[in-house]
Amino acid sequence: SDLPSRKKETSIFKRVMTREMSVRANRECRKKAGVDKFQNFALQSELDTHDPETCELKIPFLRKRARVVEIVSAKDLVFGLTQTGVCAAFNRRTKRRVCFLNIVPDEIIRSLFYNKVNDSIITVSVYRTDNFSSLKCRSTPIEYVRRAMPDATFPLFESESLRWPGFVEFDDVNSKVLTYSADNKVYTMWDLINYKPLYRITDTSIQEIKIGPGVMLVIYQRVGSHIPLKLRSIETGEILTSFQHLIHRNKKVDFIEQFNEKLLVKQENENLQIYDVWKGELKEVERQQFSTPSAFIFLYENQLFLTFKNRNVAVWNSRGELVTKFENHTLYHPDCNTNNIYITSQQDTLISYCRNGNASVGSINISSILNGKSLARITADKSGDMRVHHALCDVTAIYYNEEENELYSGTRSGMIHIWSN
């Protein structure tokens, strides 16, 4: 007698299962979750990187108020780096400054990197003792920063001379660090887990190294009408393939970029060339369709890349086809850099400081990378609160804390603002 009801239960169960397992349903659910996540963001509090009374900063220009150029979040801490090289660490819960990361009076911090592998903050600094000429790196466990003990730190890459044109590049995708020692012209790959050297590359004809997931592209100085190139394994440094790319002899190379198995090459007033390294196939995209951008960001997870040009952002696939343009997403600053935009770890959302029509201050715009649609905007339009107006006036750095769903924005005046819903 209970057969009809059991049949009914089964069909309901099937419908629910079909709905839950549907790709379209999942996509719609994710899209709605993405929109909901960013709705009704409001200003919660502000942090000040400037403290004229501190005795920790001795050099006069370190004691001046300066713009925030980089924001990094690590668990309950927020780090704000200013243009003058002062780095302040704050507790995001108490909203109080924990300490400055500058541990000696003449230290100017140039950049930050949060090493999630061993839960430490890496600072890259220059010092007055050598006329600010060479980069010095050190690692400080987050736990010691939390205890206001920034001097419980240890130096990294001491064997390397990171004097210009020497550099250090942190690669969190492969958990590696690449250094170039200018004195002996040696590239060294290090393990980001224990900072041990893995291998060295010594070749004076190398012009540049580009790092991608699992591989790196070694670009050599052009020889006549071709550029020698090598693909190496990130893990071992082993040469996977060597080849030469033909170019126009008398034209400037605008860029050479590696995007998974593809090589993107563009010369002045020429078509974009997309070369498949493994298949040996070449495709060209008309220069009218693809003009040289001022910057790239490669989204390896989604097989897409972003281009930035004249305050506009566009999304392309690996075949050089325009996937989407963003609606209502005109960047505020013409010179795009990775500190004043943020891309989520799923590589599906772009957060930027944008122009807000004819308004005197900009807005923070949150858009879908996959379809270009606007998900949310933080504006001062409907707010009579002057704090919101000041917070959106000349934003110079943006960071999104994905775990806590908090957005941090830094300004020219050295303030960091916390937004959430």
Side-chain angles (χ1 to χ4, degrees):
S1 62
D2 64 343
L3 191 60
S5 64
R6 197 177 283 174
K7 197 171 182 181
K8 189 176 178 183
E9 281 173 17
T10 306
S11 69
I12 290 171
F13 177 74
K14 276 185 177 176
R15 286 206 304 272
V16 171
M17 282 292 289
T18 303
R19 186 192 71 199
E20 292 301 312
M21 294 177 72
S22 159
V23 172
R24 184 179 174 188
N26 282 340
R27 193 182 298 126
E28 290 299 320
C29 183
R30 280 201 306 273
K31 193 193 298 179
K32 188 173 188 305
V35 172
D36 291 346
K37 191 191 330 182
F38 297 111
Q39 289 301 307
N40 305 315
F41 260 44
L43 181 62
Q44 304 298 329
S45 55
E46 57 184 29
L47 314 171
D48 195 351
T49 61
H50 181 241
D51 182 359
E53 303 304 318
T54 182
C55 58
E56 298 171 57
L57 307 171
K58 295 287 196 298
I59 300 178
F61 70 79
L62 289 180
R63 299 167 72 89
K64 291 181 179 177
R65 184 172 286 282
R67 72 168 67 191
V68 177
V69 294
E70 190 172 358
I71 301 171
V72 172
S73 172
K75 296 183 177 173
D76 56 340
L77 297 177
V78 177
F79 299 88
L81 177 64
T82 70
Q83 192 172 37
T84 52
V86 175
C87 182
F90 301 90
N91 184 305
R92 51 167 289 276
R93 293 193 177 93
T94 65
K95 311 300 187 286
R96 292 181 178 276
R97 192 181 69 234
V98 178
C99 62
F100 287 105
L101 262 60
N102 307 65
I103 58 173
V104 293
D106 68 336
E107 180 181 16
I108 294 176
I109 298 174
R110 287 288 179 226
S111 64
L112 306 170
F113 178 80
Y114 173 45
N115 187 353
K116 296 173 186 168
V117 180
N118 58 22
D119 198 29
S120 65
I121 191 84
I122 297 175
T123 50
V124 181
S125 306
V126 293
Y127 298 84
R128 184 162 58 181
T129 47
D130 71 345
N131 203 25
F132 309 111
S133 63
S134 58
L135 302 173
K136 305 287 184 186
C137 305
R138 54 186 177 82
S139 174
T140 311
I142 290 297
E143 181 56 38
Y144 286 109
V145 178
R146 195 177 284 122
R147 295 181 200 170
M149 298 167 60
D151 50 354
T153 185
F154 61 91
L156 304 175
F157 322 125
E158 287 185 288
S159 60
E160 309 306 293
S161 170
L162 301 180
R163 195 183 312 275
W164 190 88
F167 65 81
V168 57
E169 181 178 341
F170 298 96
D171 169 27
D172 54 350
V173 173
N174 299 295
S175 294
K176 300 288 183 288
V177 185
L178 178 67
T179 60
Y180 175 61
S181 181
D183 286 359
N184 53 7
K185 297 181 172 54
V186 172
Y187 294 87
T188 306
M189 190 66 74
W190 308 76
D191 193 319
L192 194 54
I193 299 169
N194 53 27
Y195 306 115
K196 289 184 177 176
L198 300 173
Y199 55 86
R200 298 179 189 275
I201 302 172
T202 306
D203 194 329
T204 55
S205 59
I206 292 176
Q207 183 174 316
E208 194 177 2
I209 292 180
K210 305 269 188 180
I211 294 177
V215 295
M216 60 180 166
L217 176 70
V218 183
I219 306 168
Y220 291 83
Q221 293 164 10
R222 64 191 285 178
V223 181
S225 58
H226 67 265
I227 296 177
L229 302 140
K230 288 180 182 176
L231 268 187
R232 287 180 178 260
S233 162
I234 281 281
E235 295 299 328
T236 64
E238 173 194 359
I239 297 172
L240 304 175
T241 184
S242 301
F243 56 101
Q244 296 187 345
H245 190 78
L246 197 64
I247 57 170
H248 296 277
R249 181 187 292 268
N250 299 319
K251 292 205 172 182
K252 179 172 79 76
V253 176
D254 286 344
F255 63 80
I256 298 177
E257 296 289 344
Q258 178 224 336
F259 182 41
N260 293 330
E261 74 280 5
K262 303 290 177 65
L263 187 72
L264 309 180
V265 182
K266 178 87 169 60
Q267 284 188 265
E268 194 174 25
N269 300 321
E270 291 295 329
N271 293 341
L272 168 67
Q273 295 184 322
I274 302 175
Y275 179 70
D276 190 308
V277 173
W278 302 123
K279 295 179 181 176
E281 297 172 354
L282 181 67
K283 173 182 168 62
E284 292 206 357
V285 179
E286 292 290 329
R287 64 179 183 269
Q288 290 84 358
Q289 296 175 34
F290 189 99
S291 57
T292 302
S294 57
F296 288 90
I297 293 181
F298 292 96
L299 311 175
Y300 296 101
E301 293 290 323
N302 296 324
Q303 296 283 310
L304 301 170
F305 63 93
L306 301 181
T307 57
F308 299 83
K309 187 178 177 69
N310 300 332
R311 292 194 170 97
N312 294 316
V313 190
V315 186
W316 306 78
N317 62 25
S318 60
R319 297 182 298 279
E321 298 164 342
L322 181 65
V323 174
T324 188
K325 288 186 175 180
F326 291 89
E327 64 178 26
N328 196 10
H329 205 110
T330 304
L331 299 179
Y332 194 91
H333 299 292
D335 55 330
C336 161
N337 71 68
T338 53
N339 291 334
N340 56 29
I341 63 169
Y342 186 92
I343 293 170
T344 55
S345 56
Q346 294 290 315
Q347 299 185 348
D348 58 359
T349 306
L350 174 69
I351 305 173
S352 316
Y353 182 53
C354 295
R355 294 200 167 273
N356 183 22
N358 296 320
S360 58
V361 298
S363 59
I364 296 174
N365 291 17
I366 302 159
S367 301
S368 165
I369 288 174
L370 302 179
N371 60 25
K373 299 289 185 187
S374 174
L375 299 176
R377 292 169 68 233
I378 301 174
T379 72
D381 293 350
K382 297 174 183 176
S383 172
D385 190 343
M386 285 308 293
R387 293 184 314 141
V388 173
H389 186 277
H390 290 311
L392 292 172
C393 185
D394 211 347
V395 171
T396 53
I398 284 176
Y399 188 94
Y400 175 54
N401 184 332
E402 299 186 43
E403 289 76 24
E404 303 294 337
N405 195 33
E406 285 184 344
L407 186 63
Y408 312 125
S409 61
T411 65
R412 182 182 289 275
S413 63
M415 304 298 294
I416 294 174
H417 298 92
I418 301 178
W419 312 80
S420 75
N421 54 10

